[in-house]
Amino acid sequence: MRIQLLGAPIDALNMKETVSEIEEFLHKDSKPHFIITLNPEYLYRAQDNEELMKLIYEADLITPDGTGIVWAAKTTGSPVPERVTGIDLMLNLIPLAEQKGWGIFLLGAAPGVAEEAAGNLKKQYPRLNIVGTRDGYFKPHEEDKIVKEIAAAKPHLLFVALGMPRQEQWIYKYKEQLAVPVSMGVGGSFDVIAGRVERVSPWLQKLNLEWLGRLIKEPYRWKRQLVLPKFAWLVIKKYKLKI
Ligand code: UDP
């Protein structure tokens, strides 16, 4: 089922159902599918950015990424089962990829990080088929070559860590040329998997305070996090909620 929140569709699926849906994509046809893990920052920016909103509508699957989205969906009367973040979805797809023999490609993050992340994934999943890695600090004139490289490697899953919304714009722009069955943006996930950035502890995640943990660990993010109260206020105003 799809719900609507601030003008955007969101798939009301839990993690398990999301993974099954992606598995379906891979079995169904060879058409390239594109997944957006929609966080409050993206949805807030999409309110006055037609291109970003269009990308959401073009996506084959839109997951509720973040406590803010789960809260807003519940408060406005169309709840979603749980948070499905980019990193969690990626980490749920990896064991399945190993089991099914799906090829994966990691594009993005600083030079060396995607390789390190790939190395750590291989340690945990020795039979995982990583068909390629490439850092995310390239010049526009290199993009054609990168797209060809990825297409030639023929991954089943492409994880793109260029930061939001660039990763979503990039996937959408090159989707047909890449011809990868499933692509998704994963933000800073490679840094976490490579062990360069520590993820917020599970107890804070459970308390829905991942945003607070990230603010403490990566204080330079405070400006970006200002969007969270703005997002909440927008929901309150738009849906005429009582506070
Ligand atoms: N990044 C990149 N190329 C760039 C800018 C950023 O590959 O030109 C990477 C950066 O190294 C990091 C990721 O994109 O690994 C973005 O991480 P962030 O935590 O900011 O993403 P978010 O999930 O918050 O969008």
Side-chain angles (χ1 to χ4, degrees), residues 108-110 136-137 161-164 166 186-188 191 214 221 224:
Y137 289 80
L162 298 174
M164 182 273 310
R166 191 173 150 224
V186 291
D191 300 289
R214 281 197 91 168
R221 298 180 76 92
R224 282 183 53 180

Side-chain angles (χ1 to χ4, degrees), residues 148-166:
K148 289 200 176 104
E149 212 177 288
I150 299 171
K154 293 197 184 312
H156 296 79
L157 301 176
L158 169 64
F159 297 105
V160 184
L162 298 174
M164 182 273 310
R166 191 173 150 224

Side-chain angles (χ1 to χ4, degrees), residues 39 41 107-110 113 135-138 161-167 186-191 214 218 221 224:
N39 64 18
E41 193 182 346
L107 168 70
V113 175
D135 72 80
Y137 289 80
F138 44 76
L162 298 174
M164 182 273 310
R166 191 173 150 224
Q167 56 200 20
V186 291
S189 303
F190 298 174
D191 300 289
R214 281 197 91 168
E218 304 166 72
R221 298 180 76 92
R224 282 183 53 180

Side-chain angles (χ1 to χ4, degrees), residues 199-216:
R199 196 162 180 209
V200 172
S201 9
W203 67 268
L204 269 175
Q205 288 182 44
K206 277 211 189 81
L207 285 174
N208 290 331
L209 291 174
E210 183 148 17
W211 61 272
L212 178 64
R214 281 197 91 168
L215 188 60
I216 295 164

